[in-house]
Amino acid sequence: MADKIPLNKVRNVGIIAHVDAGKTTTTERILYYTGKKHKIGEVHDGAAEMDWMEQEQERGITITSAATTCFWKDHRINIIDTPGHVDFTVEVERSMRVLDGAVTVFSSSDGVQPQTETVWRQGDKYNVPRMCFVNKMDKVGADFKMCIESIKSRLSENAIALQIPFGAANEFKGIVNLVNMRYYTFEGEKGEQQVEHDIPAEMKDEAEEAREELIDAISLFDDELAEKYLEGEEITEEEIKKAVRAGVIQNKLYPVLCGSALRNAGVQMMLDAAVDFLPSPLDVGAVPGVNPDTEEEEMREPKGDAPVSALAFKIMSDPYVGTLTFVRVYSGTIKTGDQLLNSVTGKKERVGRLLLMHSNKKEEISEIGAGHIAAFLGLKETGTWHTLCDNDKPVILEKIEAPDPVISLAVEPKSKKDQEKMGSGLAKLAAEDPSLRFYTDEESNQTIIAGMGELHLEIIVDRLKREYKVEVETGAPQVAYREAITKTAEARGIFKRQTGGRGQFGDVELRLDVLEPTEENEGYEFNNEITGGVIPREFIPAIDKGAKETMKSGILAGFPIINVKVSPFFGSYHDVDSSEVAFKIATFRAFKDAFMKADPVLLEPVMDVEVVTPEDYVGDVMGDLSSRRGMIQGQEQRGNATVVNAKVPLSEMFGYATSLRSATQGRASFTMHFSSYEKVPSGIADDIIAERAGKVKSMDDE
C-alpha cells in the first residue's frame, strides 16, 4: 500500500519535452524495464500504453497527461507523461505544480526546441529540479555536444554531462558513465542486459576531460569534495553522487544523460539517475497553504500523521467508473470512506474508492499517504485546483491559473437531441481541461468553444463526437482580439433618471492611463483618487465593478479591453437618488467617452513561429511567412536543416500546416506559441470593427 513505502524512497517525476522528442517512447521503456509491461508498445504503431486515447494513437502525439506508478530498485516512482504540443501546455503546467522532479527529454539532432524552452520555464516557475535525457542518439544527425551547448546557452549554464555517448547515428554503440568511468552496452532482445566494460581506448581522453569538467562543476555543492579535488586526491563514485544530488535538489545543477529509447539503450541508467538524484517528497519539505478562516499562511509537513492536505490537479471522465480525480497528497493519510473538506467550496466530500493508476488501468488501494499521487473516485464537488483537507484543520494550497484562450470556434448540434448531450459533454470536457472555455454568444445564440490552438479545438470536437456521441457542425475559427488605449484621456459620465418617486443619479469623472501589464495586475488596475467625500465610499466598489464590466464587454468591436489603469478623481452624488447601479452606468459612460478619446486600437495575438525546413525550401518558407504578415526574426542551421524564426499574427496561421506540407513535400515542420498582443494594421482593424458592428450592446439599454 502507498503509505508503506518510506517517503525517502518515493519519486514523483514528470517526463517533459518538445513534441516528438520521444517522451512517450521513453516512458514505454520505463514501464517495460520496471516490470509493469511484458511487451513494449510503439508510438508509431499507435500501441503506446501511455497514449491510450484514440486521438493520441491516430496522431502519434500525447494530448493528456497520463499517470502511472512503477518500482525501480525498491523505490516507488509515480510518473506523469506530459504532452509536448503547445496547444496542451496547461497539461504540463498542472503536472509541474504537483511534481517533485522532472526528466527533460531532448531529440539528439534538434537540441533545444521552442516547446522545450516553454516547459523548462514552467519548471523554473514551480522550482522543479530537473535532469536531461538526450534521446535518439541513433538518429541521423545526432550530435550530443551540440545538444549540451544548446542546453547551456538557451536553458541553463548549469547543465553538466554525467555520461557521454560512444558514437552517434548508425555508429552509436554505447554509453560512458563519467561517475564510475565505465562503459556500457545494452544487449538482449530489448536491451535488458546492461553490460559493463572498460572504456574503449579511443574514448579515454574525451572521457577523462568530461569527468574533470563534471567534478569541477559539482565541487560547488560539497566542500569536502572540493578540497580533495584541489589537492588532486582520487574522488569516489559515492562522493560524486552525493554532490550531484545536492546540486539537483537545490535546483542549481542539471545532469545530462544520453541514450536511445527506441533502441533500448540508456533507459535503465536514466532510472538509476532519477532514483539517485531527483528529490523525494522529504527533500521538497513542507508546502505552504493559507488557512481560509484566518487567511494566514500555514506549512504542511510531508508526514503521514500530519493533518490532511491534498491537491486535486486533474479531472478525468472514465466511461466505466465515472469521474476520476487525480490527487497529490501533501500531508496526512487518506483512507477509503474518509470524509474530507473541500476548503475552496466549503463542501464536504466522501472518498468512495482510491486507485493507483497505471495509464488507463487501475489498482484499488485502501489508503494513500503523504507524498503520493492517486486517483479518487466518488468526489462530486471537487474541481481542478481544489484542496481537500481535514474538516477541523482547513487549508487552501496554491493553485495555478489557466492561460486565456487565443482561438474560438462556433459549434452547433446537428439535431435537437444532440443539443442537451452537447451541453453536458462540454461541461465534462471543461471540468477536465481548465484551458477550455465555452459560452453562448448572445447575438448569434451559437455555442462558442475557446482554447489554445486549432489542434486543441479539433481534439475537443473529436472527443464530443466519439465519447459523448454528439454530432456537431463547426464554424470558422475566430481569433481572440483585444482592445486597448494608446494615450491618457479623461471624461465625465452622468446617469440621471427621474421616474416619479425615487430617481437614479450617478456622476463620475475618471482618467484612463496605459498600463504595463504585470503578473499582479493582469492588465487592469483601479486607483481611487476621490477625496473630500464628493462620492461616498460605499459607491467606489460600484465604479470599480462598472469599469471591469465595461472592459469585459469592449467598446470598439466587443472584444475585451486590456492594459488600462482606471482612476476616478471627481464626481457628485444625490443623498436620495444615488445608487450602485447609477454609478455603474455613469462609469460605463465616462469610460466609453475617455476610451474613444484615448486613440483606441485593436490588438491581435501574435505567435512565435519556428519552422524547421530542408535548405532547398528556405526561400519559399520565408516568402510564405512574409505573405502572412510575418516578421522574420532570423534563421540558423540546426544539423542539416535550417530553422526560420518569425512572429506571425494568429489570424494568418489558420491552415498553415497543410500549406507548409505541400510547399515542402512534407519535409518541413513548424511549432508556434503565443508571444504577445500587437496592434492590428488600421485597414484590417476597420474591416473587423465593421464586421462586428451592432454586436456591442450599450448598457444604456438597461
Side-chain angles (χ1 to χ4, degrees):
M1 275 190 297
D3 64 333
K4 301 298 180 243
I5 310 279
L7 265 190
N8 64 339
K9 298 207 167 195
V10 173
R11 301 287 181 272
N12 292 308
V13 177
I15 311 285
I16 60 173
H18 183 91
V19 67
D20 223 18
K23 292 181 311 305
T24 301
T25 305
T26 303
T27 311
E28 287 295 309
R29 297 316 186 264
I30 291 170
L31 299 181
Y32 178 75
Y33 294 127
T34 56
K36 269 288 178 184
K37 294 189 65 176
H38 302 298
K39 71 183 189 68
I40 294 175
E42 302 297 4
V43 175
H44 51 257
D45 296 334
E49 184 93 1
M50 298 297 274
D51 283 351
W52 55 272
M53 288 169 66
E54 288 174 15
Q55 293 87 346
E56 294 177 312
Q57 291 164 5
E58 286 169 5
R59 289 169 176 80
I61 61 167
T62 301
I63 291 166
T64 176
S65 309
T68 193
T69 300
C70 57
F71 289 88
W72 184 253
K73 297 190 173 170
D74 75 1
H75 285 67
R76 178 193 286 283
I77 307 179
N78 296 316
I79 296 174
I80 297 184
D81 173 30
T82 64
H85 198 286
V86 68
D87 282 18
F88 308 103
T89 192
V90 74
E91 288 285 340
V92 183
E93 187 101 3
R94 64 160 136 212
S95 303
M96 285 292 192
R97 171 64 184 83
V98 297
L99 293 170
D100 300 328
V103 178
T104 314
V105 182
F106 299 83
S107 165
S108 63
S109 59
D110 299 303
V112 175
Q113 294 171 277
Q115 192 61 9
T116 324
E117 291 189 72
T118 304
V119 297
W120 192 271
R121 283 197 301 270
Q122 288 170 320
D124 287 341
K125 182 175 168 184
Y126 295 103
N127 206 26
V128 177
R130 279 145 283 169
M131 58 187 218
C132 307
F133 180 61
V134 175
N135 189 25
K136 303 189 178 184
M137 279 310 306
D138 59 320
K139 188 181 171 187
V140 175
D143 187 338
F144 184 70
K145 280 186 178 152
M146 176 275 289
C147 277
I148 291 252
E149 283 314 310
S150 76
I151 294 168
K152 280 178 180 285
S153 64
R154 293 174 70 176
L155 302 180
S156 172
E157 289 177 355
N158 301 329
I160 189 74
L162 288 196
Q163 303 171 347
I164 53 173
F166 182 20
N170 296 333
E171 299 297 307
F172 175 58
K173 297 183 177 72
I175 296 167
V176 174
N177 181 349
L178 302 174
V179 178
N180 63 3
M181 289 302 271
R182 301 293 288 162
Y183 170 59
Y184 293 87
T185 55
F186 303 87
E187 293 163 23
E189 194 191 340
K190 298 291 183 195
E192 50 270 51
Q193 292 159 31
Q194 194 171 286
V195 185
E196 188 179 304
H197 317 261
D198 290 335
I199 296 175
E202 63 265 50
M203 287 291 291
K204 266 265 165 55
D205 291 350
E206 191 187 334
E208 275 166 14
E209 196 182 313
R211 189 175 201 256
E212 194 78 11
E213 236 179 276
L214 168 64
I215 292 169
D216 189 37
I218 63 174
S219 60
L220 295 170
F221 304 103
D222 190 311
D223 293 342
E224 281 177 36
L225 182 143
E227 213 170 293
K228 284 179 82 171
Y229 175 51
L230 289 171
E231 288 171 10
E233 290 180 41
E234 188 56 41
I235 290 165
T236 67
E237 186 180 336
E238 285 317 307
E239 286 169 329
I240 292 175
K241 283 185 176 179
K242 183 182 159 207
V244 171
R245 180 170 175 76
V248 171
I249 287 171
Q250 288 172 45
N251 208 5
K252 289 180 180 169
L253 188 75
Y254 305 104
V256 185
L257 296 87
C258 61
S260 164
L262 193 63
R263 287 259 303 272
N264 311 308
V267 176
Q268 301 101 310
M269 294 171 85
M270 190 250 284
L271 279 166
D272 289 342
V275 161
D276 287 340
F277 306 127
L278 290 178
S280 74
L282 289 178
D283 296 313
V284 174
V287 295
V290 172
N291 183 320
D293 298 336
T294 63
E295 295 196 349
E296 287 182 7
E297 186 174 87
E298 285 187 9
M299 303 300 287
R300 289 291 166 98
E301 299 280 345
K303 294 177 180 170
D305 56 358
V308 168
S309 67
L311 190 67
F313 66 96
K314 182 176 171 64
I315 313 289
M316 200 169 89
S317 295
D318 184 290
Y320 302 107
V321 294
T323 302
L324 291 168
T325 308
F326 285 83
V327 176
R328 159 79 195 250
V329 182
Y330 282 94
S331 61
T333 303
I334 298 171
K335 297 181 178 173
T336 305
D338 277 359
Q339 191 185 67
L340 299 170
L341 172 71
N342 179 329
S343 53
V344 175
T345 63
K347 302 256 177 73
K348 291 182 179 171
E349 290 273 38
R350 189 169 294 284
V351 180
R353 289 159 66 197
L354 291 169
L355 303 171
L356 273 187
M357 298 300 290
H358 170 54
S359 185
N360 62 334
K361 300 186 180 72
K362 307 156 193 76
E363 174 197 335
E364 198 145 341
I365 52 174
S366 59
E367 62 182 64
I368 180 98
H372 290 281
I373 291 172
F376 288 33
L377 263 176
L379 303 184
K380 292 182 171 60
E381 306 280 345
T382 299
T384 310
W385 304 128
H386 288 181
T387 300
L388 296 167
C389 55
D390 286 332
N391 289 307
D392 54 349
K393 292 275 171 60
V395 71
I396 296 178
L397 300 174
E398 185 196 356
K399 61 175 191 169
I400 69 163
E401 296 301 328
D404 286 331
V406 293
I407 183 173
S408 63
L409 194 66
V411 290
E412 284 189 46
K414 280 191 176 171
S415 68
K416 224 175 179 79
K417 191 178 72 178
D418 286 324
Q419 178 78 49
E420 215 168 284
K421 283 199 295 186
M422 184 177 84
S424 70
L426 282 173
K428 284 178 181 167
L429 290 170
E432 287 181 28
D433 179 355
S435 64
L436 171 69
R437 317 278 162 85
F438 72 98
Y439 58 92
T440 302
D441 185 303
E442 289 174 13
E443 296 297 318
S444 63
N445 215 21
Q446 287 177 305
T447 299
I448 307 293
I449 58 173
M452 304 310 297
E454 274 186 288
L455 179 63
H456 185 201
L457 298 186
E458 186 189 310
I459 298 289
I460 293 297
V461 170
D462 200 35
R463 290 187 65 191
L464 270 179
K465 289 176 181 173
R466 292 195 203 197
E467 292 169 37
Y468 299 98
K469 307 290 183 273
V470 181
E471 285 304 314
V472 293
E473 288 172 344
T474 57
Q478 298 294 314
V479 174
Y481 292 98
R482 296 286 184 265
E483 300 177 15
I485 57 172
T486 56
K487 68 176 191 183
T488 297
E490 295 178 357
R492 183 179 187 181
I494 299 176
F495 179 66
K496 201 175 185 178
R497 183 174 285 173
Q498 209 60 46
T499 51
R502 187 181 167 179
Q504 293 280 11
F505 181 82
D507 172 14
V508 179
E509 280 189 68
L510 53 76
R511 183 177 63 257
L512 302 183
D513 292 297
V514 178
L515 180 69
E516 288 300 322
T518 64
E519 276 186 25
E520 286 75 39
N521 64 45
E522 293 179 342
Y524 171 73
E525 194 177 302
F526 183 74
N527 181 38
N528 177 23
E529 293 180 9
I530 299 289
T531 55
V534 291
I535 297 175
R537 195 176 296 162
E538 66 262 28
F539 295 130
I540 302 301
I543 298 172
D544 184 15
K545 201 172 176 191
K548 279 182 183 161
E549 285 179 11
T550 309
M551 287 183 69
K552 204 171 170 185
S553 57
I555 290 167
L556 271 183
F559 295 110
I561 298 166
I562 59 170
N563 304 344
V564 176
K565 180 180 179 181
V566 179
S567 308
F569 59 86
F570 198 67
S572 63
Y573 74 103
H574 188 280
D575 282 337
V576 177
D577 293 349
S578 283
S579 67
E580 287 192 6
V581 170
F583 273 102
K584 260 174 69 177
I585 296 172
T587 302
F588 166 71
R589 290 179 172 177
F591 193 118
K592 186 176 179 182
D593 198 5
F595 183 83
M596 295 311 289
K597 288 179 189 171
D599 291 351
V601 291
L602 210 54
L603 304 177
E604 62 185 344
V606 171
M607 314 303 279
D608 277 325
V609 178
E610 180 180 284
V611 184
V612 182
T613 174
E615 211 166 319
D616 308 357
Y617 304 108
V618 171
D620 294 341
V621 165
M622 288 170 76
D624 185 33
L625 289 172
S626 298
S627 74
R628 294 169 184 270
R629 296 195 283 127
M631 297 285 291
I632 307 296
Q633 303 291 299
Q635 62 181 87
E636 58 176 322
Q637 285 302 116
R638 186 183 292 161
N640 52 8
T642 302
V643 180
V644 179
N645 288 295
K647 288 191 182 294
V648 191
L650 174 63
S651 60
E652 303 288 346
M653 289 299 290
F654 295 135
Y656 183 63
T658 309
S659 72
L660 182 67
R661 270 199 298 271
S662 59
T664 61
Q665 298 179 350
R667 293 173 63 199
S669 62
F670 84 101
T671 52
M672 68 176 184
H673 59 269
F674 174 74
S675 168
S676 58
Y677 276 100
E678 303 291 343
K679 183 183 171 185
V680 180
S682 53
I684 297 170
D686 291 344
D687 291 344
I688 294 166
I689 292 166
E691 189 190 321
R692 300 271 299 187
K695 285 203 171 186
V696 182
K697 281 194 163 184
S698 169
M699 280 177 69
D700 287 0
D701 295 343
E702 288 186 16

